[in-house]
mmCIF file of all heavy atoms in Angstrom:
data_model
loop_
_atom_site.group_PDB
_atom_site.id
_atom_site.type_symbol
_atom_site.label_atom_id
_atom_site.label_comp_id
_atom_site.label_asym_id
_atom_site.label_seq_id
_atom_site.Cartn_x
_atom_site.Cartn_y
_atom_site.Cartn_z
ATOM 1 N N ARG A 24 0.836 -1.187 0.000
ATOM 2 C CA ARG A 24 0.000 0.000 0.000
ATOM 3 C C ARG A 24 0.875 1.243 0.000
ATOM 4 O O ARG A 24 1.798 1.366 0.785
ATOM 5 C CB ARG A 24 -0.854 -0.012 1.261
ATOM 6 C CG ARG A 24 -2.170 0.577 1.072
ATOM 7 C CD ARG A 24 -2.938 0.407 2.328
ATOM 8 N NE ARG A 24 -4.293 0.123 1.921
ATOM 9 C CZ ARG A 24 -5.286 0.040 2.742
ATOM 10 N NH1 ARG A 24 -5.088 0.146 4.023
ATOM 11 N NH2 ARG A 24 -6.478 -0.179 2.290
ATOM 12 N N THR A 25 0.589 2.167 -0.910
ATOM 13 C CA THR A 25 1.336 3.404 -0.998
ATOM 14 C C THR A 25 0.465 4.527 -0.469
ATOM 15 O O THR A 25 -0.701 4.641 -0.825
ATOM 16 C CB THR A 25 1.707 3.695 -2.463
ATOM 17 O OG1 THR A 25 2.393 2.573 -2.981
ATOM 18 C CG2 THR A 25 2.577 4.921 -2.578
ATOM 19 N N SER A 26 1.061 5.333 0.372
ATOM 20 C CA SER A 26 0.278 6.434 0.927
ATOM 21 C C SER A 26 0.002 7.475 -0.142
ATOM 22 O O SER A 26 0.746 7.632 -1.108
ATOM 23 C CB SER A 26 1.021 7.068 2.105
ATOM 24 O OG SER A 26 2.102 7.830 1.621
ATOM 25 N N TYR A 27 -1.065 8.219 0.038
ATOM 26 C CA TYR A 27 -1.470 9.242 -0.919
ATOM 27 C C TYR A 27 -0.422 10.337 -1.005
ATOM 28 O O TYR A 27 -0.073 10.784 -2.077
ATOM 29 C CB TYR A 27 -2.832 9.812 -0.497
ATOM 30 C CG TYR A 27 -3.315 10.917 -1.386
ATOM 31 C CD1 TYR A 27 -3.797 10.638 -2.654
ATOM 32 C CD2 TYR A 27 -3.271 12.234 -0.967
ATOM 33 C CE1 TYR A 27 -4.231 11.651 -3.489
ATOM 34 C CE2 TYR A 27 -3.704 13.253 -1.785
ATOM 35 C CZ TYR A 27 -4.192 12.955 -3.039
ATOM 36 O OH TYR A 27 -4.618 13.967 -3.858
ATOM 37 N N ARG A 28 0.125 10.761 0.124
ATOM 38 C CA ARG A 28 1.124 11.837 0.121
ATOM 39 C C ARG A 28 2.416 11.390 -0.570
ATOM 40 O O ARG A 28 3.041 12.158 -1.282
ATOM 41 C CB ARG A 28 1.413 12.300 1.543
ATOM 42 C CG ARG A 28 0.249 13.034 2.165
ATOM 43 C CD ARG A 28 0.615 13.515 3.560
ATOM 44 N NE ARG A 28 -0.565 13.907 4.279
ATOM 45 C CZ ARG A 28 -0.998 15.145 4.362
ATOM 46 N NH1 ARG A 28 -0.346 16.094 3.762
ATOM 47 N NH2 ARG A 28 -2.087 15.433 5.019
ATOM 48 N N ARG A 29 2.794 10.149 -0.342
ATOM 49 C CA ARG A 29 3.999 9.641 -0.991
ATOM 50 C C ARG A 29 3.808 9.594 -2.503
ATOM 51 O O ARG A 29 4.693 9.983 -3.270
ATOM 52 C CB ARG A 29 4.329 8.260 -0.447
ATOM 53 C CG ARG A 29 5.567 7.663 -1.065
ATOM 54 C CD ARG A 29 5.908 6.347 -0.437
ATOM 55 N NE ARG A 29 6.970 5.710 -1.201
ATOM 56 C CZ ARG A 29 7.204 4.437 -1.210
ATOM 57 N NH1 ARG A 29 6.458 3.632 -0.481
ATOM 58 N NH2 ARG A 29 8.174 3.936 -1.924
ATOM 59 N N ALA A 30 2.656 9.157 -2.951
ATOM 60 C CA ALA A 30 2.356 9.110 -4.382
ATOM 61 C C ALA A 30 2.357 10.521 -4.974
ATOM 62 O O ALA A 30 2.839 10.730 -6.091
ATOM 63 C CB ALA A 30 1.012 8.439 -4.616
ATOM 64 N N GLU A 31 1.833 11.480 -4.221
ATOM 65 C CA GLU A 31 1.827 12.870 -4.664
ATOM 66 C C GLU A 31 3.245 13.392 -4.848
ATOM 67 O O GLU A 31 3.558 14.052 -5.838
ATOM 68 C CB GLU A 31 1.103 13.739 -3.629
ATOM 69 C CG GLU A 31 -0.145 14.358 -4.125
ATOM 70 C CD GLU A 31 -0.785 15.236 -3.062
ATOM 71 O OE1 GLU A 31 -0.175 15.530 -2.008
ATOM 72 O OE2 GLU A 31 -1.927 15.628 -3.288
ATOM 73 N N ARG A 32 4.124 13.092 -3.888
ATOM 74 C CA ARG A 32 5.520 13.525 -3.981
ATOM 75 C C ARG A 32 6.214 12.877 -5.184
ATOM 76 O O ARG A 32 6.963 13.534 -5.907
ATOM 77 C CB ARG A 32 6.266 13.187 -2.691
ATOM 78 C CG ARG A 32 5.958 14.101 -1.523
ATOM 79 C CD ARG A 32 6.925 13.885 -0.372
ATOM 80 N NE ARG A 32 7.046 12.487 0.031
ATOM 81 C CZ ARG A 32 6.327 11.901 1.003
ATOM 82 N NH1 ARG A 32 5.449 12.599 1.676
ATOM 83 N NH2 ARG A 32 6.508 10.640 1.290
ATOM 84 N N GLU A 33 5.982 11.593 -5.391
ATOM 85 C CA GLU A 33 6.598 10.901 -6.525
ATOM 86 C C GLU A 33 6.122 11.487 -7.855
ATOM 87 O O GLU A 33 6.911 11.688 -8.778
ATOM 88 C CB GLU A 33 6.299 9.407 -6.464
ATOM 89 C CG GLU A 33 7.023 8.691 -5.349
ATOM 90 C CD GLU A 33 6.609 7.237 -5.229
ATOM 91 O OE1 GLU A 33 5.721 6.778 -5.991
ATOM 92 O OE2 GLU A 33 7.171 6.544 -4.365
ATOM 93 N N PHE A 34 4.848 11.790 -7.921
ATOM 94 C CA PHE A 34 4.299 12.352 -9.147
ATOM 95 C C PHE A 34 4.868 13.747 -9.395
ATOM 96 O O PHE A 34 5.207 14.099 -10.537
ATOM 97 C CB PHE A 34 2.767 12.407 -9.075
ATOM 98 C CG PHE A 34 2.126 12.885 -10.340
ATOM 99 C CD1 PHE A 34 2.203 12.132 -11.506
ATOM 100 C CD2 PHE A 34 1.456 14.090 -10.380
ATOM 101 C CE1 PHE A 34 1.632 12.576 -12.679
ATOM 102 C CE2 PHE A 34 0.876 14.537 -11.547
ATOM 103 C CZ PHE A 34 0.952 13.776 -12.697
ATOM 104 N N ALA A 35 5.033 14.547 -8.365
ATOM 105 C CA ALA A 35 5.617 15.879 -8.506
ATOM 106 C C ALA A 35 7.066 15.776 -8.991
ATOM 107 O O ALA A 35 7.505 16.567 -9.833
ATOM 108 C CB ALA A 35 5.538 16.637 -7.182
ATOM 109 N N GLU A 36 7.810 14.810 -8.474
ATOM 110 C CA GLU A 36 9.194 14.618 -8.905
ATOM 111 C C GLU A 36 9.253 14.193 -10.377
ATOM 112 O O GLU A 36 10.088 14.664 -11.148
ATOM 113 C CB GLU A 36 9.885 13.576 -8.021
ATOM 114 C CG GLU A 36 11.298 13.227 -8.426
ATOM 115 C CD GLU A 36 12.259 14.420 -8.378
ATOM 116 O OE1 GLU A 36 11.978 15.422 -7.680
ATOM 117 O OE2 GLU A 36 13.299 14.343 -9.054
ATOM 118 N N ILE A 37 8.353 13.335 -10.788
ATOM 119 C CA ILE A 37 8.305 12.901 -12.187
ATOM 120 C C ILE A 37 7.988 14.088 -13.089
ATOM 121 O O ILE A 37 8.601 14.270 -14.137
ATOM 122 C CB ILE A 37 7.268 11.761 -12.365
ATOM 123 C CG1 ILE A 37 7.774 10.487 -11.684
ATOM 124 C CG2 ILE A 37 6.976 11.517 -13.843
ATOM 125 C CD1 ILE A 37 6.755 9.385 -11.604
ATOM 126 N N ARG A 38 7.034 14.936 -12.696
ATOM 127 C CA ARG A 38 6.697 16.115 -13.486
ATOM 128 C C ARG A 38 7.883 17.073 -13.580
ATOM 129 O O ARG A 38 8.156 17.642 -14.629
ATOM 130 C CB ARG A 38 5.488 16.849 -12.882
ATOM 131 C CG ARG A 38 4.196 16.097 -13.085
ATOM 132 C CD ARG A 38 2.992 16.917 -12.744
ATOM 133 N NE ARG A 38 3.224 17.907 -11.715
ATOM 134 C CZ ARG A 38 2.287 18.443 -10.963
ATOM 135 N NH1 ARG A 38 1.044 18.095 -11.124
ATOM 136 N NH2 ARG A 38 2.579 19.337 -10.047
ATOM 137 N N ARG A 39 8.636 17.230 -12.490
ATOM 138 C CA ARG A 39 9.802 18.101 -12.494
ATOM 139 C C ARG A 39 10.860 17.567 -13.452
ATOM 140 O O ARG A 39 11.431 18.301 -14.259
ATOM 141 C CB ARG A 39 10.376 18.237 -11.084
ATOM 142 C CG ARG A 39 11.525 19.264 -10.984
ATOM 143 C CD ARG A 39 12.249 19.175 -9.661
ATOM 144 N NE ARG A 39 12.921 17.893 -9.452
ATOM 145 C CZ ARG A 39 14.044 17.504 -10.091
ATOM 146 N NH1 ARG A 39 14.608 18.292 -10.961
ATOM 147 N NH2 ARG A 39 14.586 16.335 -9.848
ATOM 148 N N GLN A 40 11.126 16.255 -13.397
ATOM 149 C CA GLN A 40 12.116 15.651 -14.285
ATOM 150 C C GLN A 40 11.681 15.774 -15.754
ATOM 151 O O GLN A 40 12.500 16.019 -16.636
ATOM 152 C CB GLN A 40 12.330 14.184 -13.920
ATOM 153 C CG GLN A 40 13.040 13.987 -12.606
ATOM 154 C CD GLN A 40 13.092 12.521 -12.200
ATOM 155 O OE1 GLN A 40 12.521 11.652 -12.855
ATOM 156 N NE2 GLN A 40 13.779 12.257 -11.093
ATOM 157 N N HIS A 41 10.401 15.615 -15.980
ATOM 158 C CA HIS A 41 9.876 15.749 -17.334
ATOM 159 C C HIS A 41 10.068 17.171 -17.852
ATOM 160 O O HIS A 41 10.460 17.388 -19.003
ATOM 161 C CB HIS A 41 8.401 15.345 -17.362
ATOM 162 C CG HIS A 41 7.802 15.374 -18.733
ATOM 163 N ND1 HIS A 41 6.991 16.385 -19.151
ATOM 164 C CD2 HIS A 41 7.925 14.513 -19.779
ATOM 165 C CE1 HIS A 41 6.623 16.157 -20.396
ATOM 166 N NE2 HIS A 41 7.177 15.027 -20.808
ATOM 167 N N ALA A 42 9.819 18.147 -17.032
ATOM 168 C CA ALA A 42 9.986 19.544 -17.424
ATOM 169 C C ALA A 42 11.457 19.843 -17.719
ATOM 170 O O ALA A 42 11.769 20.542 -18.691
ATOM 171 C CB ALA A 42 9.467 20.470 -16.332
ATOM 172 N N GLU A 43 12.368 19.310 -16.918
ATOM 173 C CA GLU A 43 13.790 19.509 -17.175
ATOM 174 C C GLU A 43 14.196 18.868 -18.498
ATOM 175 O O GLU A 43 14.973 19.433 -19.263
ATOM 176 C CB GLU A 43 14.621 18.933 -16.022
ATOM 177 C CG GLU A 43 14.559 19.750 -14.756
ATOM 178 C CD GLU A 43 15.313 19.092 -13.614
ATOM 179 O OE1 GLU A 43 15.858 17.976 -13.805
ATOM 180 O OE2 GLU A 43 15.353 19.691 -12.532
ATOM 181 N N PHE A 44 13.668 17.695 -18.751
ATOM 182 C CA PHE A 44 13.963 17.015 -20.006
ATOM 183 C C PHE A 44 13.479 17.843 -21.193
ATOM 184 O O PHE A 44 14.205 18.025 -22.170
ATOM 185 C CB PHE A 44 13.313 15.629 -20.026
ATOM 186 C CG PHE A 44 13.388 14.959 -21.362
ATOM 187 C CD1 PHE A 44 14.569 14.393 -21.799
ATOM 188 C CD2 PHE A 44 12.275 14.897 -22.188
ATOM 189 C CE1 PHE A 44 14.645 13.783 -23.041
ATOM 190 C CE2 PHE A 44 12.332 14.296 -23.421
ATOM 191 C CZ PHE A 44 13.527 13.735 -23.843
ATOM 192 N N LEU A 45 12.262 18.354 -21.127
ATOM 193 C CA LEU A 45 11.733 19.174 -22.214
ATOM 194 C C LEU A 45 12.571 20.428 -22.416
ATOM 195 O O LEU A 45 12.780 20.869 -23.546
ATOM 196 C CB LEU A 45 10.275 19.548 -21.939
ATOM 197 C CG LEU A 45 9.268 18.403 -22.040
ATOM 198 C CD1 LEU A 45 7.879 18.895 -21.683
ATOM 199 C CD2 LEU A 45 9.286 17.788 -23.421
ATOM 200 N N ALA A 46 13.063 21.003 -21.333
ATOM 201 C CA ALA A 46 13.899 22.197 -21.439
ATOM 202 C C ALA A 46 15.209 21.872 -22.154
ATOM 203 O O ALA A 46 15.684 22.651 -22.974
ATOM 204 C CB ALA A 46 14.183 22.776 -20.057
ATOM 205 N N ARG A 47 15.799 20.713 -21.863
ATOM 206 C CA ARG A 47 17.031 20.321 -22.531
ATOM 207 C C ARG A 47 16.802 20.055 -24.013
ATOM 208 O O ARG A 47 17.611 20.421 -24.856
ATOM 209 C CB ARG A 47 17.630 19.087 -21.879
ATOM 210 C CG ARG A 47 18.461 19.429 -20.649
ATOM 211 C CD ARG A 47 19.101 18.207 -20.082
ATOM 212 N NE ARG A 47 18.077 17.570 -19.251
ATOM 213 C CZ ARG A 47 17.960 16.278 -19.045
ATOM 214 N NH1 ARG A 47 18.803 15.446 -19.574
ATOM 215 N NH2 ARG A 47 17.013 15.790 -18.295
#
């Protein structure tokens, strides 16, 4: 079971990495 807050943090990190990739 994954907590909701942990999933939120993971999703935010994925979005940040995606944005950095698009910038590159």
Side-chain angles (χ1 to χ4, degrees):
R24 213 175 218 187
T25 305
S26 74
Y27 178 74
R28 291 182 194 264
R29 180 176 171 203
E31 245 182 11
R32 284 191 308 267
E33 289 175 358
F34 184 66
E36 176 61 21
I37 290 171
R38 288 191 330 202
R39 186 191 63 73
Q40 290 173 355
H41 183 257
E43 287 176 358
F44 171 76
L45 290 177
R47 277 183 278 149

